[in-house]
Amino acid sequence: MRCTALILILGGAYTYAHVPLGFWLQDLFGFARNPYDRIGHFAQGFVPAIIAREILLRRSPLVPGKWLFFLVCCVCLAISAVYEFLEWWSAVILGEGAKEFLGTQGDEWDTQWDMFLALIGAITAQLSFARLHDRQLAALRGG
């Protein structure tokens, strides 16, 4: 959670399209645009994935497996979609002033990329931490 907060604070301080770390990555990898907001959207899927997984395991009849994996991805995509709605509504309210807030940098596919990266974040978190998470929950239950 702290990581996501730091990503948001840094993005808010500079605006996402002007974060120095993004320019460094842009130069290093030869990207056409500052990719900093992409990091934030990856984290937007990565961070809530294990939280959603734990809630579903503790509060539903789901067990570790394909359905749990799928539903955690769905939860993370829903969170991402809500954020994209907030961006859209702010663009409608702010008009021209929304360009800096949104950080689309002229990318007509920005919304789709944002949601795709949230999905990749959710998948990465689950593939990386599901077994550890299962062991921790088993230890918590006493076996």
Side-chain angles (χ1 to χ4, degrees), residues 40-118:
H41 286 283
F42 177 86
Q44 191 180 56
F46 190 93
V47 172
I50 299 301
I51 297 167
R53 189 177 192 278
E54 181 146 351
I55 291 168
L56 288 170
L57 283 171
R58 286 184 177 214
R59 301 290 180 197
S60 78
L62 287 169
V63 295
K66 293 176 184 176
W67 275 111
L68 177 65
F69 191 93
F70 172 74
L71 290 174
V72 167
C73 288
C74 289
V75 168
C76 293
L77 279 172
I79 292 168
S80 183
V82 167
Y83 186 80
E84 293 304 321
F85 280 134
L86 292 172
E87 284 188 350
W88 171 45
W89 295 330
S90 67
V92 169
I93 293 167
L94 296 173
E96 279 299 310
K99 286 183 180 177
E100 287 299 313
F101 172 74
L102 296 176
T104 61
Q105 302 175 63
D107 183 0
E108 65 181 304
W109 299 103
D110 186 67
T111 299
Q112 290 80 6
W113 271 110
D114 292 348
M115 293 184 68
F116 176 69
L117 285 163

Side-chain angles (χ1 to χ4, degrees), residues 1-9 40 43-44 47-48:
M1 291 294 227
R2 291 179 189 162
C3 179
T4 304
L6 292 174
I7 291 168
L8 292 171
I9 290 167
Q44 191 180 56
V47 172

